[in-house]
């Protein structure tokens, strides 16, 4: 199910959510090499430059665990030989990106995306669910929550795959935290969604608890070869749920402020 919009009014304009979306879009099309060549014919050399740029800037589990950038040898083993766990306990050789701060990269990765569909999907989910969470948390706390959710999501992925030498990119973990908070605060909010079946799409309204619950459970059934960091999604979502549960009494708006029935939907 793909959410298109929710029927859940806000009291303020979601400036931070809009800025986050604009930042991700701008970085993809004007900073990332892959984004700049999205609509152009790509060569093998373009692909190599994309990989090099991503390794220099994105979070990589091995680097976070070891506290150092990948070596040239680990880079070659990963992307030439296909060994995605080429992390060495006693590395030899020169670092590929010696000036890289591997911890700052964990924040940078939240604003990088692996392709146009990846970007579009993430931004859609952020727009649908982010405005209401920003409205409840208020801007500065929302920023802190969003970034913390992204960091927790990355750490969840690192715990599951500590020897991985594959870069992790995307706002999915931070957005999953937003979705987890939405589930707690607005479980009955109606969400206009599209259900793709084969080559057709059917529009339907479904309460947030069913859509988000389905999304969460589906993460455990993703193919190991899908390239999706499902543990980051799960970690971010659980973080959002826990934060919202702790702060629910402070964040929950009065029933009369909601644009939908307070009864189960």
């Amino acid at each position: 199910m793909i959410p298109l919009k929710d029927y859940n009014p806000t009291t303020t304009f979601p400036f931070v959510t809009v800025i986050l979306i604009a930042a991700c879009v701008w970085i993809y099309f004007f900073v990332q090499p892959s984004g700049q060549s999205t609509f152009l014919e790509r060569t093998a050399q373009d692909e190599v430059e994309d990989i090099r740029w991503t390794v220099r800037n994105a979070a990589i589990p091995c680097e976070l665990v070891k506290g150092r950038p990948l070596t040239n040898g680990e880079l070659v083993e990963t992307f030439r030989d296909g060994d995605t766990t080429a992390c060495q306990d006693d590395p030899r050789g020169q670092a590929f990106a010696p000036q890289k701060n591997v911890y700052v990269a964990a924040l940078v990765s939240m604003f990088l995306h692996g392709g146009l569909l990846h970007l579009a999907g993430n931004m859609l989910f952020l727009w649908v669910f982010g405005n209401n969470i920003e409205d409840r948390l208020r801007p500065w706390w929302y920023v802190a929550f969003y970034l913390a959710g992204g960091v927790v999501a990355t750490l969840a992925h690192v715990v599951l795959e500590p020897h991985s030498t594959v870069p992790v990119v995307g706002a999915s973990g931070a957005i999953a935290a937003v979705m987890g908070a939405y589930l707690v605060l607005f479980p009955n909010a109606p969400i206009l969604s599209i259900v793709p079946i084969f080559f057709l799409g059917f529009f339907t309204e479904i309460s947030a608890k069913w859509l988000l619950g389905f999304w969460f459970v589906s993460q455990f059934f993703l193919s190991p070869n899908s390239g999706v960091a499902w543990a980051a999604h799960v970690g971010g979502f659980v973080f959002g749920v826990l934060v919202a549960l702790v702060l629910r009494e402070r964040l929950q708006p009065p029933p009369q402020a909601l644009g939908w029935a307070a009864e189960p939907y």
Side-chain angles (χ1 to χ4, degrees):
M1 289 179 285
I2 303 171
L4 300 178
K5 65 174 294 185
D6 65 345
Y7 299 99
N8 196 3
T10 59
T11 60
T12 58
F13 184 80
F15 287 103
V16 174
T17 298
V18 170
I19 290 172
L20 288 171
I21 292 173
C24 288
V25 171
W26 184 82
I27 289 172
Y28 180 74
F29 284 108
F30 296 100
V31 179
Q32 289 187 241
S34 56
Q36 294 179 54
S37 60
T38 296
F39 304 106
L40 303 175
E41 184 176 353
R42 294 169 59 80
T43 66
Q45 185 59 36
D46 291 331
E47 298 293 343
V48 171
E49 286 305 313
D50 287 348
I51 292 173
R52 289 176 175 272
W53 189 92
T54 302
V55 170
R56 290 191 189 100
N57 294 278
I60 299 175
C62 173
E63 294 183 338
L64 292 170
V65 171
K66 303 300 182 183
R68 58 164 179 82
L70 292 183
T71 64
N72 287 313
E74 289 169 325
L75 187 70
V76 169
E77 288 182 40
T78 301
F79 294 100
R80 189 194 67 183
D81 302 336
D83 184 359
T84 59
T85 57
C87 191
Q88 300 174 2
D89 292 328
D90 185 20
R92 298 179 181 179
Q94 184 178 4
F96 170 71
Q99 303 304 316
K100 179 180 181 180
N101 186 315
V102 299
Y103 303 112
V104 172
L107 293 174
V108 173
S109 276
M110 295 181 210
F111 297 90
L112 309 180
H113 287 84
L116 189 57
L117 287 178
H118 187 205
L119 173 70
N122 276 350
M123 296 306 99
L124 174 62
F125 274 73
L126 180 56
W127 174 249
V128 172
F129 300 108
N131 59 343
N132 290 103
I133 302 305
E134 178 181 348
D135 190 53
R136 292 293 89 212
L137 285 174
R138 300 309 181 189
W140 291 112
W141 284 112
Y142 177 62
V143 170
F145 169 77
Y146 183 88
L147 295 178
V151 170
V152 169
T154 298
L155 292 177
H157 177 69
V158 171
V159 168
L160 190 71
E161 300 189 39
H163 302 294
S164 173
T165 48
V166 178
V168 182
V169 298
S172 306
I175 296 170
V178 171
M179 293 161 62
Y182 195 102
L183 174 64
V184 172
L185 299 177
F186 308 104
N188 299 315
I191 311 292
L192 176 64
S193 306
I194 184 169
V195 181
I197 300 178
F198 297 107
F199 298 104
L200 300 175
F202 298 91
F203 293 92
T204 185
E205 284 186 17
I206 184 172
S207 61
K209 61 189 175 188
W210 297 116
L211 187 147
L212 294 173
F214 174 82
W215 178 89
F216 180 75
V217 172
S218 70
Q219 302 308 299
F220 295 95
F221 295 92
L222 291 173
S223 167
N225 300 319
S226 65
V228 177
W230 66 269
H233 295 175
V234 172
F237 192 91
V238 171
F239 172 80
V241 166
L242 294 177
V243 170
L245 285 173
V246 171
L247 301 177
R248 179 163 51 182
E249 294 302 318
R250 295 184 181 182
L251 300 179
Q252 185 68 58
Q256 60 268 26
L258 302 175
W260 36 270
E263 291 79 17
Y265 179 81

